[in-house]
Amino acid sequence: QVQMEQSGAEVRKSGSSVKISCKTSGKTFYDHAVSWMRQTPGQRPEWMGRIIPLHGKTDYAQKFKNRVTLIADTSTTTVYLDLSSLTSDDTAFYYCAREASASFDSWGQGTLVIVSS
Amino acid sequence: DIQMTQSPSSLSASVGDKVTITCRASQNIRSWLNWYQQKPGQAPNLLINGASRLQGGVPLRFSGSISGANFTLTINSLQPEDVATYYCQQSNDTPFTFGPGTKVDI
């Protein structure tokens, strides 16, 4: 069973930033890309970007390009999402997911981020 | 960006019914289409990738197909545990995009 273990819920003020972690297995870290999505209740998931941890190569959705940074830590096989300049529109569940065969075959449990003004 | 549409947005069916959900992309995505099931409070779960490849552990009553520009998810003999929202997702090009979802009730 592939494990994607995410960090816990966060509460932030508008204008601040948040960093969410996604702990993966070694095999996932070195053999797969990891994508990040976010989702608000009743809405479809929204893809934010991906990272190939082995190389550190990233690809971001244009919408988030100026505010999102994805980082891979090889020492802990953990991937991080850093989102800056938060607004209330960023209140959502954030998910990491492993990419395999051009699909997301294993997801983290989700991290709730609440942004208050 | 590739836009994904789904129909219907919701449906209610009886146990044992055959259910069909349709998904379309705004441009040619070949067979780069995946289906996910999401239950309340849970992350999405991959059911089918490559338009028709059933994932391991997914019941055989689920199937996916392509007909022209339409992708279809079929649930043969709907079961109570199939109550969920179903999303299609294209992986032809980034940004990867999802359909708006189809909520299935019994």
Side-chain angles (χ1 to χ4, degrees), chain A residues 41-59:
Chain A
Q43 299 301 308
R44 72 188 84 184
E46 181 177 27
W47 184 80
M48 301 177 71
R50 73 202 301 203
I51 184 168
I52 302 174
L54 181 64
H55 306 292
K57 180 176 161 57
T58 55
D59 182 11

Side-chain angles (χ1 to χ4, degrees), chain A residues 3-4 6 10-12 16 20 29 61 85 87-88 97:
Chain A
Q3 298 287 340
M4 310 282 283
Q6 295 184 226
E10 303 274 8
V11 179
R12 291 287 184 272
S16 67
I20 305 166
F29 191 86
S85 302
T87 71
S88 57

Side-chain angles (χ1 to χ4, degrees), chain A residues 35 37 39-40 42-48 50 59-62 95 99-110, chain B residues 3-5 32 34 36 38 41-46 48-50 53 55 87 89 91 94-101:
Chain A
S35 274
M37 272 75 63
Q39 186 180 32
T40 54
Q43 299 301 308
R44 72 188 84 184
E46 181 177 27
W47 184 80
M48 301 177 71
R50 73 202 301 203
D59 182 11
Y60 299 117
Q62 187 64 34
Y95 294 99
E99 292 183 38
S101 302
S103 57
F104 305 122
D105 74 335
S106 184
W107 295 61
Q109 81 275 24
Chain B
Q3 308 302 315
M4 306 299 294
T5 58
W32 300 111
N34 308 311
Y36 301 84
Q38 187 175 31
Q42 297 183 16
N45 179 54
L46 179 65
I48 288 168
N49 67 1
R53 284 195 302 269
Q55 296 302 290
Y87 294 99
Q89 174 250 329
S91 55
T94 59
F96 301 131
T97 47
F98 290 78

